[in-house]
Amino acid sequence: MNVNVKNRAAKITRKTNETQIELELNIDGTGKYSIDMLIGFLKHMLELFAKHGLFDLQIKCSGDIEIDFHHTVEDLGIVLGAAFKQALSDMRGIKRYGFFILPMDEAIAEVSLDICNRSILVYNVNLPGEKIANFDVELFREFFEKFALNAGITLHINLRNANNAHHGIEAIFKCFAKALDIATQYDSRIQGLNT
């Protein structure tokens, strides 16, 4: 994986036997995105993530989706998490903690996180059904687990009252974006690391 960091931005290329991903991230963006991939539902969720977190995000991704989506979803979690870790660099002056509650119709998502170099995922998500179109919803746990591991964050995701899997996952991605945006913001009162 090749990493290139400038200010609070990162550019990462990852090539494996199963996937090829090029990703550019600007934490201090305006929510602009360009995502080129063949997994439609995940593409939609990443677009919402960029838009609601105000992160500029460009992704070009191909993978062995004729087999299944697992490698592509997992590797996107790895690369996006690594991009945030690299873009945040030494984490000086950031708020560090982020928390948000977000409704999406009948669904309520709660996300809290700590940018602390301790990778933990607590994932309390129970969705009705196993698929959205041809996408296995269990893969989202893999995505967030790999993101947390590679970003070095403690991440708690809780979903309440989701009667519709699409609404539940959409609430999670928007809520995750909002919580991450809060945690990555600078606070001029914080000198050095927020420990």
Side-chain angles (χ1 to χ4, degrees), residues 112-122 148 152-156:
S112 51
L113 58 91
D114 178 9
I115 302 172
C116 59
N117 283 323
R118 290 188 301 279
S119 304
I120 298 168
L121 173 65
V122 177
I153 68 170
T154 297
L155 175 59
H156 290 253

Side-chain angles (χ1 to χ4, degrees), residues 36-132:
D36 180 9
M37 62 184 302
L38 294 176
I39 305 174
F41 188 68
L42 181 58
K43 175 183 177 181
H44 179 48
M45 293 303 106
L46 291 170
E47 290 169 346
L48 292 172
F49 170 78
K51 180 178 178 181
H52 289 274
L54 299 172
F55 308 122
D56 290 348
L57 184 62
Q58 293 182 33
I59 300 173
K60 289 179 80 173
C61 175
S62 61
D64 59 353
I65 62 171
E66 70 281 357
I67 296 169
D68 68 14
F69 295 163
H70 184 269
H71 292 131
T72 303
V73 173
E74 183 177 48
D75 286 2
L76 275 166
I78 290 169
V79 172
L80 188 59
F84 270 90
K85 184 161 184 79
Q86 292 295 324
L88 287 169
S89 186
D90 64 6
M91 304 181 297
R92 292 183 182 278
I94 64 168
K95 291 184 177 179
R96 177 180 160 178
Y97 297 99
F99 176 82
F100 210 82
I101 299 173
L102 189 136
M104 174 67 197
D105 295 339
E106 85 294 346
I108 300 277
E110 300 171 353
V111 174
S112 51
L113 58 91
D114 178 9
I115 302 172
C116 59
N117 283 323
R118 290 188 301 279
S119 304
I120 298 168
L121 173 65
V122 177
Y123 191 75
N124 296 311
V125 174
N126 186 15
L127 294 165
E130 297 177 358
K131 289 187 179 278
I132 299 172

Side-chain angles (χ1 to χ4, degrees), residues 142-154:
E142 291 287 324
F143 174 85
F144 287 112
E145 186 173 63
K146 296 306 183 210
F147 181 95
L149 179 65
N150 288 275
I153 68 170
T154 297

